[in-house]
Amino acid sequence: MATFSDSTNGKGNDWVQDFLCSACEDKKLEQSADYYCDSCVKFFCRKCIQMHSQLFTKHSPHGRGDMKKWPVVKKVEDFLLKCDVHKEENLASFCKDHSKLCCNTCAFHNHRQCETVMLLTDMVKNTSTDLKQVLVTIQTTLAELRKLQDNQEASIQSVQSSYDEQLHKIQETRQKILAALDMLEKKTLQEMKDTLTKLQASLKSDVDKCSTLGNELNQLRDAFQDISDKSKQELSFIASIKCKDIIQQFENYQKQNFAQLKFSITFHPNSEIMQYLSQLSGLGKIEHYAQSLTAVGNADQIIRIDGESEYDVWEQGDEACGIRDICVLPSGQVLVVDQYNKKVKLLNKQYQVVSHCSVSDKPGGMCQITPSEVGVTVGSEVKFIKVNNNQLVQVRKLKFQHDCLGIASHQGDLFVTSGTELYNYSLDGKLVSKLHENKSHTRTVWGCAVSPTGDKLYITNYKQDKLLTLARDGSVLSIFKDPELLGPRCVHVTPAGQVLVCGWVSDTILQIDSKGSRKLATLATEMYSLRSVCYNSNTDSIIVGSVNNKILVYKVK
């Protein structure tokens, strides 16, 4: 049988899946085969098949359109036949007791005591295998594996994000403790200064009193010396009395105030503080918890609001903020498109602005691409912005030949609206197809969203007040209109498949059924200039953006 080329047709494996022309291979040439002749058991390219057909007129070779009649790829056959345990042996039997495929070695060592071990050649005679159903099961399992992998990758991002956030909190705690210690030090220093001032004032008073008495005694001494030889009895008497009086004052003052003490100030540390700190194991307690990333509920479960909160997303230097779109990452971080200030802003779990990325023009729609990356429409481009250590970084961009307004993604497909068309692109910017077009007005194809399973697309028709639901091939499944939905721009689908649409003119947010045919609930109304809506599955809440510098967060029951 012919060997195989190195090209692959499928994703996810590295074995060879294409055949080489047998005739060309004999000439040491590699040419992909286009035909297989089961009479010759050989493969032929388009050139060699002509000679073959002239020589063997009765042979009926099978082209690539009939590849089911081609033999199984050798490497595929080897892959399936080889025993998983004993790589050098082929599978030969099946143990019904353990539902295990066995080579001869496996059967001898592990299944000698089993009651039902059958040769594969006998087993397949009475067993039919529905390969189509097996393929469906494989695809379903692969989808679940991708979902699990995405969830775990999201968990990695979430752990890193929470680590960074809590590290900042630890640093804040340390600063608070240092600030408290600074305050204690300030109070202690003030107390010591007050003590110094009090003691110095008291001692200075004594010094001043001693100085005053000393001056008076010096004057009397000088007076005595002046009158001692002049026989002034009256003056001598007066001086003697004054001297006794001053000396008496000194003796009395000395008895009351002058102890033989040396004053000093001493600080005694509060040992309780050091003792308490030495007993602590850290600045706080470290905990971890797991939060389910799986959506609860069904696509038509009505959302019920239970309270609202308001958060400011304005930054220094901003004009008024217009929140055009919102996206919540699996980590719990929130990104908002601030159209008026030409920014994409990153909010933490408390909805505080921690970073922003400026763009060249007014940004429009936004969607998640990976657990840490979003795509944002800006003019005729889609810019890919990544969250890296709580900072927003533009990593690449795609340029298109049309305006870019709304955007959505699903498993490698990118959906972009131009105002009048909906396009399906690959993530590297290659056009897959144009799914929908309406050129009766401008802005007839504005916002877009995709269902969690990827089978339905939702687009808003701003000019004609409609929400359209499309099949994946672009065919229209339903058209929704309602007096409460005027000027719809943003449409959002929750992880459970619930459809939320925002009316800019009507200032309403409606929940529509997953078929896009009827209104299930009016979630918000009479709010000023609603621009965007998004469901945060991390906190079970709905985030609403408008043009008043704020976002509203509605708690869901």
Side-chain angles (χ1 to χ4, degrees):
M1 183 177 290
T3 57
F4 313 93
S5 74
D6 291 333
S7 63
T8 59
N9 294 328
K11 298 178 180 179
N13 57 66
D14 58 3
W15 58 61
V16 180
Q17 287 195 348
D18 206 359
F19 296 89
L20 294 177
C21 173
S22 304
C24 290
E25 190 179 14
D26 291 340
K27 302 173 186 177
K28 301 188 181 303
L29 300 174
E30 287 192 1
Q31 181 64 44
S32 179
D34 296 293
Y35 296 89
Y36 171 70
C37 178
D38 47 13
S39 299
C40 299
V41 194
K42 288 188 176 182
F43 296 86
F44 300 95
C45 64
R46 293 183 182 277
K47 184 177 180 180
C48 294
I49 193 64
Q50 296 177 4
M51 181 64 69
H52 170 272
S53 298
Q54 292 175 6
L55 294 174
F56 305 99
T57 57
K58 294 185 178 181
H59 289 192
S60 301
H62 307 290
R64 286 189 173 272
D66 198 15
M67 287 190 71
K68 62 183 178 180
K69 294 183 180 179
W70 287 29
V72 176
V73 177
K74 181 67 166 59
K75 287 195 175 182
V76 174
E77 187 174 358
D78 289 344
F79 167 76
L80 294 174
L81 285 176
K82 291 298 180 184
C83 176
D84 292 336
V85 179
H86 307 97
K87 303 295 184 182
E88 72 285 354
E89 294 194 39
N90 286 345
L91 298 170
S93 56
F94 180 76
C95 175
K96 282 191 173 183
D97 296 5
H98 296 95
S99 295
K100 288 286 186 181
L101 292 165
C102 317
C103 67
N104 291 330
T105 303
C106 288
F108 178 77
H109 288 292
N110 302 324
H111 301 278
R112 282 185 296 175
Q113 305 299 323
C114 298
E115 293 183 2
T116 311
V117 178
M118 300 180 64
L119 292 174
L120 290 177
T121 52
D122 295 333
M123 188 74 185
V124 297
K125 291 178 181 178
N126 301 315
T127 306
S128 61
T129 303
D130 188 347
L131 290 179
K132 290 185 179 180
Q133 184 58 46
V134 173
L135 283 173
V136 170
T137 303
I138 289 174
Q139 293 299 330
T140 302
T141 305
L142 285 173
E144 291 298 320
L145 280 171
R146 282 194 298 268
K147 184 177 179 181
L148 178 60
Q149 182 179 344
D150 289 344
N151 285 346
Q152 297 310 97
E153 288 177 353
S155 293
I156 292 173
Q157 293 290 330
S158 176
V159 167
Q160 182 63 51
S161 175
S162 63
Y163 172 84
D164 295 339
E165 191 172 334
Q166 299 312 307
L167 184 64
H168 180 66
K169 188 179 291 186
I170 289 173
Q171 294 168 345
E172 284 184 338
T173 302
R174 182 178 184 276
Q175 292 302 319
K176 289 178 181 178
I177 292 173
L178 291 176
L181 290 174
D182 288 344
M183 183 58 67
L184 289 176
E185 180 187 24
K186 185 177 180 181
K187 289 181 178 178
T188 303
L189 290 174
Q190 185 61 48
E191 183 182 355
M192 191 164 68
K193 186 175 181 180
D194 291 344
T195 302
L196 174 64
T197 302
K198 182 179 179 182
L199 288 175
Q200 287 181 334
S202 176
L203 293 171
K204 189 175 185 304
S205 176
D206 291 340
V207 170
D208 292 344
K209 184 67 176 179
C210 290
S211 178
T212 300
L213 292 174
N215 289 335
E216 290 177 356
L217 283 174
N218 283 328
Q219 288 178 342
L220 286 172
R221 182 193 64 193
D222 294 341
F224 269 112
Q225 290 176 350
D226 190 46
I227 65 174
S228 60
D229 56 352
K230 296 181 179 171
S231 301
K232 297 290 184 178
Q233 295 296 325
E234 183 179 350
L235 291 176
S236 297
F237 177 77
I238 291 172
S240 176
I241 294 301
K242 284 188 175 183
C243 183
K244 287 182 180 179
D245 182 53
I246 292 174
I247 291 173
Q248 185 64 48
Q249 287 183 46
F250 166 68
E251 290 176 347
N252 291 337
Y253 188 74
Q254 185 182 35
K255 289 178 182 179
Q256 295 174 4
N257 299 285
F258 289 89
Q260 297 299 316
L261 297 175
K262 181 180 180 181
F263 288 93
S264 63
I265 298 174
T266 304
F267 169 68
H268 297 283
N270 187 340
S271 60
E272 292 181 0
I273 295 176
M274 297 304 300
Q275 184 178 0
Y276 176 72
L277 290 177
S278 65
Q279 291 173 349
L280 297 178
S281 59
L283 293 179
K285 188 177 181 182
I286 304 297
E287 296 180 338
H288 71 275
Y289 62 94
Q291 184 176 16
S292 174
L293 295 174
T294 305
V296 178
N298 58 70
D300 293 331
Q301 180 178 343
I302 296 177
I303 295 174
R304 302 190 185 279
I305 303 299
D306 184 23
E308 73 175 70
S309 302
E310 191 175 87
Y311 299 91
D312 200 325
V313 294
W314 183 87
E315 287 185 296
Q316 187 69 34
D318 281 351
E319 298 179 0
C321 302
I323 307 305
R324 176 64 182 81
D325 211 344
I326 306 169
C327 183
V328 181
L329 299 180
S331 63
Q333 295 168 304
V334 179
L335 285 88
V336 298
V337 169
D338 185 349
Q339 191 174 48
Y340 292 170
N341 293 292
K342 299 179 182 179
K343 292 179 179 179
V344 178
K345 295 179 178 178
L346 174 65
L347 316 182
N348 60 20
K349 294 178 182 178
Q350 288 73 44
Y351 302 106
Q352 300 167 325
V353 180
V354 296
S355 175
H356 77 259
C357 177
S358 297
V359 292
S360 56
D361 200 351
K362 287 185 177 181
M366 175 171 55
C367 71
Q368 180 183 327
I369 303 298
T370 72
S372 61
E373 184 181 68
V374 296
V376 181
T377 59
V378 181
S380 59
E381 296 178 341
V382 172
K383 297 184 182 293
F384 295 88
I385 298 174
K386 193 169 187 177
V387 180
N388 188 5
N389 293 327
N390 276 335
Q391 297 295 315
L392 295 180
V393 181
Q394 182 179 321
V395 291
R396 64 187 181 98
K397 65 181 180 180
L398 296 175
K399 178 76 174 176
F400 299 100
Q401 299 300 314
H402 56 77
D403 289 341
C404 299
L405 298 178
I407 185 172
S409 70
H410 184 269
Q411 293 186 359
D413 282 312
L414 202 62
F415 303 97
V416 181
T417 66
S418 67
T420 54
E421 298 96 3
L422 171 65
Y423 295 97
N424 180 191
Y425 291 99
S426 62
L427 285 178
D428 58 3
K430 293 180 180 178
L431 178 63
V432 178
S433 62
K434 180 164 65 174
L435 295 172
H436 183 75
E437 183 178 68
N438 183 346
K439 292 190 174 181
S440 60
H441 294 277
T442 59
R443 303 301 187 255
T444 54
V445 185
W446 190 300
C448 67
V450 59
S451 65
T453 55
D455 61 331
K456 289 191 287 291
L457 294 160
Y458 304 91
I459 57 173
T460 57
N461 183 329
Y462 172 75
K463 281 291 186 178
Q464 298 172 339
D465 304 323
K466 298 176 182 178
L467 174 71
L468 278 69
T469 303
L470 311 179
R472 190 58 179 266
D473 62 2
S475 58
V476 178
L477 299 176
S478 63
I479 300 175
F480 175 81
K481 282 181 67 72
D482 190 274
E484 285 192 311
L485 185 65
L486 303 178
R489 287 192 176 184
C490 177
V491 57
H492 173 76
V493 181
T494 74
Q498 296 149 307
V499 182
L500 308 179
V501 60
C502 177
W504 183 49
V505 177
S506 55
D507 286 331
T508 54
I509 297 174
L510 306 184
Q511 180 182 353
I512 315 302
D513 74 322
S514 59
K515 295 180 179 179
S517 58
R518 62 188 179 91
K519 178 175 67 178
L520 296 179
T522 302
L523 303 181
T525 186
E526 297 182 358
M527 299 171 59
Y528 176 64
S529 193
L530 296 180
R531 289 293 183 92
S532 52
V533 60
C534 179
Y535 186 81
N536 187 345
S537 57
N538 295 276
T539 58
D540 289 326
S541 57
I542 293 175
I543 308 173
V544 177
S546 63
V547 296
N548 62 352
N549 298 338
K550 301 182 185 300
I551 59 171
L552 297 175
V553 179
Y554 292 92
K555 187 65 180 175
V556 173
K557 291 183 180 179

